[in-house]
Amino acid sequence: MPRESKAKKRERALITCRRMEEHYGGAESALDYHDPFTLLIAVMLSAQTTDAGVNRVTPELFRKWPDAFAMAQASPQEVGSVIRSIGFWRAKAKHCVEASQIIVADYGGEVPHTMKELTSLPGVGRKTANIVLNKAFHTCEGIAVDTHVFRIATRLGFTKAPTPLAAEQDLLDLIPRELWSPVNEQWIHFGREICTSQRPKCEECWLADICPSFERPDRYRKDAKKRKASDKKAGSPEA
């Protein structure tokens, strides 16, 4: 196959965003939260864990520790006892407590508003920071690339990056800034309904005509298994 020009790739990216908006415009987060702090904690917990799994533990978690001041006083063991049904719960419990302590000590109990400040918190990478900035503070500094966005971007040929962090930069280069904000939620819905990790519904896909992986998405799956094994070995909860 001839190499695709950047202009053609950008054209496909624009078509993708337009069709995503047509199908999933107004899509909301599946995570339950009610303020910037509970959003931050919920997103931290969601790494390599389903939103449904997070929503099962956060009612009790936020009943006991509703804000940074309360969670800063908890021990990782106490928090861990509430969230132990989700993946990487020990590391996540530790990060929740440590992040809360920093939020109280350095920011007066208020979740910080910048990418630099958020990513300085334990357990908070660019994906988490992007979601918090976008949803809590209506600030868009990037695209939150989770496992769904990463899979879709790879299958669509928008990135060959080995990690979500590197893939974000490729997407930012292709998609106009004014379209960054809805990418995460819309692509997550698409990834759950159509472009699933196992047995994607290519025959039902309304991006099939512009997808270079149409009916042959296994190429992504093999690489994903390698990355998943590497993440598991490293013990990192950030997805």
Side-chain angles (χ1 to χ4, degrees):
M1 290 182 63
R3 183 172 180 176
E4 184 180 33
S5 69
K6 179 170 279 191
K8 286 292 185 182
K9 192 175 292 186
R10 282 178 173 159
E11 182 181 349
R12 286 197 303 112
L14 285 171
I15 294 171
T16 298
C17 290
R18 185 175 70 244
R19 293 183 187 178
M20 290 285 188
E21 180 65 25
E22 290 171 355
H23 284 81
Y24 303 115
E28 295 292 337
S29 173
L31 290 172
D32 295 334
Y33 65 93
H34 48 79
D35 58 27
F37 176 74
T38 54
L39 172 62
L40 173 64
I41 297 299
V43 178
M44 288 172 67
L45 297 182
S46 71
Q48 299 190 29
T49 302
T50 65
D51 290 347
V54 174
N55 289 341
R56 283 194 290 269
V57 302
T58 48
E60 177 66 8
L61 184 71
F62 297 146
R63 185 190 68 79
K64 288 189 170 185
W65 305 288
D67 54 35
F69 292 102
M71 192 167 287
Q73 299 300 314
S75 70
Q77 292 74 23
E78 290 174 318
V79 173
S81 69
V82 175
I83 67 169
R84 63 184 305 149
S85 63
I86 67 175
F88 295 100
W89 63 270
R90 289 185 179 85
K92 290 175 180 178
K94 182 173 182 287
H95 290 157
C96 285
V97 172
E98 290 177 347
S100 297
Q101 291 171 343
I102 293 172
I103 290 171
V104 169
D106 295 349
Y107 305 104
E110 299 293 327
V111 174
H113 297 198
T114 70
M115 176 66 71
K116 182 177 180 180
E117 291 170 331
L118 281 167
T119 54
S120 71
L121 298 175
V124 178
R126 272 193 64 93
K127 183 203 79 172
T128 297
N130 272 320
I131 293 173
V132 172
L133 287 172
N134 196 352
K135 294 186 175 301
F137 304 117
H138 308 292
T139 299
C140 189
E141 292 193 22
I143 294 173
V145 179
D146 66 358
T147 183
H148 294 289
V149 176
F150 189 33
R151 178 174 70 251
I152 294 163
T154 302
R155 285 178 175 168
L156 282 168
F158 294 152
T159 184
K160 293 182 180 179
T163 66
L165 182 62
E168 181 190 2
Q169 298 307 309
D170 290 335
L171 291 176
L172 298 182
D173 191 41
L174 290 176
I175 299 173
R177 189 183 187 96
E178 62 269 21
L179 300 180
W180 291 355
S181 181
V183 166
N184 183 260
E185 291 300 340
Q186 292 179 357
W187 291 31
I188 283 176
H189 280 73
F190 178 67
R192 288 172 176 165
E193 295 178 4
I194 304 293
C195 197
T196 55
S197 178
Q198 303 294 323
R199 299 183 181 87
K201 301 173 184 175
C202 293
E203 69 285 352
E204 300 177 23
C205 183
W206 29 266
L207 291 175
D209 61 313
I210 60 169
C211 180
S213 298
F214 177 55
E215 291 189 333
R216 53 185 184 87
D218 289 344
R219 180 176 54 190
Y220 165 82
R221 203 173 297 152
K222 292 175 183 177
D223 291 341
K225 287 181 179 178
K226 294 179 182 178
R227 286 190 291 265
K228 188 173 182 180
S230 177
D231 288 343
K232 186 175 181 180
K233 184 176 180 181
S236 171
E238 177 72 17

